[in-house]
Every structure is written in C-alpha cells, then in structure tokens.
Amino acid sequence: MVTTTWAPVPFGSGFGVDNLPYGVFRPVAGAARVGVRIGDHVLDLAAALRDEVFAAPSLNGFLARGRAAWRATRAEIVALLTDPAREAANAAHLYALAEVALQLPFEVADYVDFYASEHHATNLGRLFRPDSDALLPNWKHLPVGYHGRAGTVVASGTPVVRPCGQRKAPSDDTPTFGPSVRLDIEAELGFVVGAPSALGSTVGTGDFADHVFGVCVVNDWSARDIQAWEYVPLGPFLGKSFATSISHWITPLEAVEAARVATPTQSPEPLPHLRDTERWGLDIDLEVELCGTVVSRPPYAQMYWSPAQMLAHMTSNGASLRTGDLFASGTVSGPEPGQRGSFIELTWNGAEPLRLPDGAERTFLEDGDVVTLRATAPGPNGTRLALGEVTATIAAARA
C-alpha cells in the first residue's frame, strides 16, 4: 500500500511521503532555511517542527546530530504529513517550489571523487591504452579516487564556465593555453557525510550508515584536454576542479532501502577491511539529457565498488571524516553503448559523434549546451523515488 499524505502530491511525482529529501530554500520574503520536498512543495522544517537547527541556510547542523536523530526526525516528518488532523496547523508551512529559490543544500567540507565503474574504467583503458590491459593492476584491489576542490562544488542551475588551461595534443610540439575544447560530463551519485570520525581512526564498511546521511546526483565536469596533459604522474587537478554540480535535494539513506542490492561479483575478493557484507550496492537508474534529448541511461547497479567500500578505503589510513564531506562514485557506465555516463565514452573519444534530433552533432560540449542528469530509485510498495536532477548551461570561457 502506498503511504498517503494530506500534502498535495501529483500522481507519479516521485516525491511522495516515502521520499522526503532535504534541501535549502529561500522564500520570497525571509531567510534561507532547511526544508523537505513533498510533491511540488517544500515543507519549512523550522516552522513545522519548531527546531532552530532547520532555520540555518545549510543542513550541516542537522547532519552533525547523527543517525539516531536523522531517523527520529524522518519519523516525525512522516507522522506530521500523514496525519489529517495536523493539516490545518501545518499547511501554511508548505511553499510551492515555483515560489522559492533553491540553494546549495550543505556546506561542503571535503570532496573526494572515485572511479568505481568497471565499465567506465575499462572503456577509458581501451581508449588510451589499446595495447595494454584496460584496467591498471590496482583497480580491482581498491576503489581508486582523488581529492577534489570543495570550494567549486555548486548547486544545480549554476552556469558552468568553460575552463581555460594548458593542453598539448599528441600532434603538437609544445603546449598551449586557452579554453578547453573537450569539455565533458561525468554522471555520478554523491554521498553526503553527516557524523564525523576522529583523526587516526577508521570507518568500516559496516559503519557506513552511521556516518553517511544521504545521496545526491552529481555532475563532475571534466576538461579532457587539460586533464590528459596534466594528470601524469599525480592525477586529476585543473581539468576537474573548475566545477562539480550537485542536485538541490539530499535523499536520506533510509529512503533508498528498497534500492539496496549486492555489487557485481568482486574477483579477486577484496582484502578484509574492504569486504561489504551489508550489500550497499544501489539499484538506481540515471539519465543524461543533452539539449532536451536523452542520450544515455547509466545503471548504478553495475558499479563494481559500493559506497560503503569507498568510505572504508577513504578512512583506512586514519583520515578523518567531517560533517559535510562529499564523496562521489565516479562516472556511472553500464555495459551497453547507451549506458555510458560521459561523452568521451558515448562518442568514443570523438570518433563517433552524437547526432541530435535537429541534425546537430556533438563530440564534446559547446557553449550554450544544457546538460541535465536525473536519477530514480525503487521505493517501498512498488513506488519509484526521484532523487532530483542536476542541470547546468555551458557558458563561454572568460578572458
């Protein structure tokens, strides 16, 4: 049976009472504050729950309270929205989404990006190392990742300015500096840390849900030409750090319980500290839209490494977690051509351009292009949850 609510929820919206993602909104009159989305409205939590932690313009204060508080608050919100007797007192705390401005939902402490899709890693290996093994020797022993720049994580709707940088094509004698000509996307899921950990301690895979609050949609923009020239030997830097876009809504882990699945078979078996016995693979479907046309549908269930394993690896050297840490999965790609989560794969490094309905072709992104990523997950009782979307328009490079 689908849980019913007195709040107005359009049929099939994906934002029913089984979802209730958190975000930050600013009404026309008033300061930014925390709310949960229900249908096409947002519930003002500071007013509805009379809790000042939600009067802040970020989720961080609430995230720091920890798992027990997250669960209790979610139960309280569900009870409020499903009790007809509470409608009269709380209907005034609902704001139509069309009448509010949405903001970055939390203050990002650190940002780490992983490389957890075997299909994505294999595709790039075949493109750039055709005469060698597609996967490097360490890939199936640990979740490969890099530490990004937290200050360039932006909310959905923020334009992405084409980055400038140094690049050198194989045919060039010397490098040049200028706007990237191979601007790309990476369709990913992000995981938001709430409860911190102490420096010098580790977080095991079994402790994942005690530290990670929820999930968001991520587009980790990539300037492939800048990246290709700079990344040897220390990995991604300026080709990645100009912008990472996230969705406005953070869906609690508790809401995606029905999406939990086992990861694909991991062989060789990971070392003991990376074994995920609690099945934190996620059956989440992503969608990549370019200028109004869906060009790919990557399946997150195909990801080789689970987010619990990513978190365990990230802290295995004693690195601490902080409230507001964000770590992302890396590009989500499946085994089929129409399931690739980046244009470098979809166009096979530019050799096979995408053709749009108006006849235009794309290898990489052009100025004015609009990219939207969406994600959905199975919910309880056969429902489908929407994890929101992240969208951005490519702006021309600045002089």
Side-chain angles (χ1 to χ4, degrees):
M1 179 183 296
V2 176
T3 308
T4 58
T5 172
W6 52 260
V9 178
F11 178 77
S13 80
F15 290 101
V17 76
D18 293 319
N19 191 346
L20 300 178
Y22 290 74
V24 171
F25 73 103
R26 182 188 296 276
V28 174
R33 64 199 77 169
V34 175
V36 294
R37 180 167 176 176
I38 179 73
D40 294 330
H41 289 74
V42 56
L43 177 68
D44 182 346
L45 292 181
L49 302 184
R50 296 178 176 84
D51 188 337
E52 285 302 304
V53 77
F54 298 117
S58 112
L59 273 165
N60 291 54
F62 174 61
L63 297 180
R65 289 181 171 178
R67 188 180 186 185
W70 306 337
R71 293 175 66 91
T73 300
R74 179 175 172 82
E76 187 175 1
I77 296 168
V78 170
L80 184 154
L81 288 170
T82 55
D83 182 356
R86 301 177 74 174
E87 177 178 1
N90 290 285
H93 303 322
L94 285 178
Y95 290 78
L97 288 175
E99 298 174 354
V100 302
L102 299 176
Q103 301 187 178
L104 191 70
F106 63 99
E107 297 172 26
V108 181
D110 276 309
Y111 171 54
V112 172
D113 193 40
F114 284 95
Y115 190 50
S117 165
E118 182 176 5
H119 299 292
H120 174 68
T122 298
N123 285 337
L124 293 195
R126 288 171 177 164
L127 281 170
F128 298 122
R129 298 184 300 276
D131 299 324
S132 304
D133 291 338
L135 296 179
L136 292 173
N138 65 345
W139 199 90
K140 287 198 170 184
H141 292 276
L142 54 83
V144 174
Y146 70 93
H147 195 178
R149 178 169 284 179
T152 57
V153 176
V154 296
S156 176
T158 306
V160 171
V161 177
R162 182 178 298 275
C164 292
Q166 191 176 124
R167 61 268 172 91
K168 181 183 177 299
S171 57
D172 293 340
D173 293 329
T174 58
T176 59
F177 183 90
S180 171
V181 296
R182 295 168 69 83
L183 185 57
D184 200 356
I185 69 162
E186 292 196 347
E188 309 188 14
L189 284 184
F191 302 88
V192 180
V193 172
S197 65
L199 183 65
S201 65
T202 61
V203 177
T205 58
D207 299 320
F208 172 72
D210 290 330
H211 291 272
V212 172
F213 171 73
V215 185
C216 61
V217 187
V218 172
N219 190 340
D220 190 41
W221 306 89
S222 300
R224 299 295 183 188
D225 45 352
I226 298 171
Q227 181 183 357
W229 174 236
E230 74 176 2
Y231 85 102
V232 178
L234 294 182
F237 186 39
L238 300 183
K240 294 281 195 176
S241 63
F242 57 95
T244 299
S245 301
I246 67 171
S247 52
H248 289 120
W249 303 106
I250 311 301
T251 301
L253 284 186
E254 195 173 351
V256 295
E257 277 289 331
R260 289 175 62 175
V261 295
T263 58
T265 301
Q266 296 180 333
S267 179
E269 185 179 21
L271 292 175
H273 72 290
L274 289 178
R275 292 174 191 166
D276 182 2
T277 60
E278 296 194 9
R279 299 172 72 246
W280 270 111
L282 292 167
D283 183 17
I284 292 175
D285 293 332
L286 283 78
E287 183 177 88
V288 178
E289 181 181 283
L290 172 63
C291 298
T293 298
V294 175
V295 296
S296 178
R297 291 186 168 87
Y300 192 85
Q302 293 283 332
M303 297 296 275
Y304 188 87
W305 294 104
S306 77
Q309 292 172 311
M310 296 178 215
L311 187 73
H313 179 60
M314 192 164 68
T315 62
S316 62
N317 67 344
S320 59
L321 298 175
R322 293 192 291 167
T323 298
D325 281 354
L326 171 68
F327 65 98
S329 62
T331 304
V332 182
S333 291
E336 304 300 325
Q339 297 176 327
R340 296 168 180 169
S342 64
F343 290 121
I344 195 170
E345 296 171 89
L346 284 166
T347 70
W348 210 243
N349 202 23
E352 303 170 5
L354 289 172
R355 182 177 292 273
L356 299 177
D358 63 359
E361 292 187 342
R362 291 290 188 278
T363 51
F364 294 93
L365 294 169
E366 298 184 3
D367 293 349
D369 283 350
V370 180
V371 178
T372 299
L373 309 181
R374 301 183 184 88
T376 61
N381 305 310
T383 57
R384 194 81 191 168
L385 308 183
L387 274 63
E389 65 180 38
V390 55
T391 188
T393 301
I394 306 302
R398 294 173 182 165

